[in-house]
Amino acid sequence: MSKAEWQRKCASVLKVLKAHKHGWVFGEPVDAVKLQIPDYHEIIKRPMDLGTVKENLDNGTITSPEMFKDDVLLTFQNAMTYNPSHHDVHIMAKTLKELFMSKWEPIESSVMEKWRMEQAGGGGGASSASEGHVGKRVLDSEFSDDRPMSYDEKRELSANMNKLPGKKLGNVVQIIHDRNHRILQPTGEDPDEIEIDIDKIDDATLRFLDKFVKDALAKKKKKTG
């Protein structure tokens, strides 16, 4: 499957970072045992590296330019958080962070526009356009239902999310990421597997997700029925 235009733009910027003389330092996950830094995972709650960013961009785990940007910045921010300001790794991370922003900021708006257009046109008609902008609708506050959810409603929503096909589940992740990406956490056993803490999601987003998930399952049932 060929890459979308926005993915190629992201990959191009990533290639520049990896080719930099300091790029190798951030090219793979931090090995806390090998480096003898046992407190690393206590301080850094969501490890990230440029190799993982590339892998996630290639396999579709990264579903938007915003997710790409967040993960690249997280790579350098983690290094700057763990290492003191005078440390070589901190200085290298700061240098590459500045390089990234110098390459990303001039193209960010055009890459986002390409992503929106591809989301709207990728798969046929109004349905794809609607799915491509699910997160934007929440952010724009077009959905006004913010009634608190009961425990049973949250349990039902969680169960329904697990019934979604991959593409729709990707939409759910994008909605939550657009609202607050800190809610999304790796499981620990598999860094590529995302765990959603439903109790930390605000009521308006929960209600929007509930409607989106039920609509998606209804369409799925209609197709298979």
Side-chain angles (χ1 to χ4, degrees):
M1 183 177 172
S2 62
K3 284 185 179 179
E5 180 68 19
W6 70 268
Q7 289 172 312
R8 289 195 291 271
K9 295 287 187 183
C10 292
S12 178
V13 173
L14 188 60
K15 188 175 180 180
V16 172
L17 297 176
K18 289 171 70 69
H20 189 275
K21 64 181 180 180
H22 301 325
W24 66 272
V25 177
F26 309 98
E28 58 186 35
V30 171
D31 188 334
V33 176
K34 183 179 178 181
L35 296 173
Q36 298 182 337
I37 46 175
D39 62 345
Y40 183 79
H41 292 288
E42 294 175 13
I43 296 171
I44 302 302
K45 301 303 183 184
R46 187 178 170 233
M48 188 53 61
D49 62 277
L50 298 182
T52 299
V53 173
K54 183 181 186 306
E55 182 181 339
N56 289 345
L57 187 64
D58 289 343
N59 66 24
T61 300
I62 290 177
T63 58
S64 75
E66 286 181 341
M67 290 182 74
F68 168 75
K69 176 184 177 182
D70 286 347
D71 283 354
V72 170
L73 290 177
L74 181 63
T75 298
F76 304 132
Q77 191 56 53
N78 283 347
M80 293 167 68
T81 297
Y82 185 79
N83 298 283
S85 59
H86 59 80
H87 195 283
D88 286 348
V89 173
H90 183 111
I91 296 168
M92 291 175 184
K94 186 177 180 181
T95 298
L96 282 181
K97 180 181 178 182
E98 291 172 354
L99 173 63
F100 171 68
M101 294 309 296
S102 74
K103 299 294 183 182
W104 182 252
E105 287 183 335
I107 65 169
E108 183 171 14
S109 60
S110 65
V111 173
M112 284 301 300
E113 185 59 31
K114 285 182 182 298
W115 175 74
R116 292 188 188 102
M117 289 174 66
E118 285 165 7
Q119 290 290 303
S127 176
S128 292
S130 175
E131 290 171 13
H133 292 278
V134 286
K136 186 176 186 298
R137 284 207 298 271
V138 178
L139 291 171
D140 289 346
S141 301
E142 294 176 14
F143 190 80
S144 59
D145 189 351
D146 60 356
R147 291 171 295 135
M149 263 196 176
S150 67
Y151 171 79
D152 288 338
E153 285 178 309
K154 288 181 181 178
R155 188 171 61 176
E156 181 186 9
L157 173 57
S158 182
N160 284 339
M161 284 196 294
N162 288 329
K163 298 176 187 176
L164 291 174
K167 183 180 178 183
K168 297 289 187 180
L169 195 55
N171 288 139
V172 168
V173 171
Q174 184 62 47
I175 291 170
I176 297 170
H177 183 274
D178 286 345
R179 295 286 291 190
N180 187 346
H181 68 271
R182 292 179 183 84
I183 291 171
L184 302 174
Q185 294 292 337
T187 60
E189 297 177 0
D190 182 353
D192 292 330
E193 186 176 333
I194 295 297
E195 186 177 81
I196 299 172
D197 188 345
I198 204 165
D199 290 320
K200 291 183 180 179
I201 303 175
D202 64 279
D203 294 319
T205 303
L206 283 174
R207 289 294 175 187
F208 184 90
L209 286 172
D210 189 49
K211 183 177 186 305
F212 174 79
V213 169
K214 285 178 178 176
D215 286 349
L217 289 177
K219 289 177 183 177
K220 179 183 175 186
K221 185 176 180 181
K222 189 175 180 182
K223 285 181 181 179
T224 56

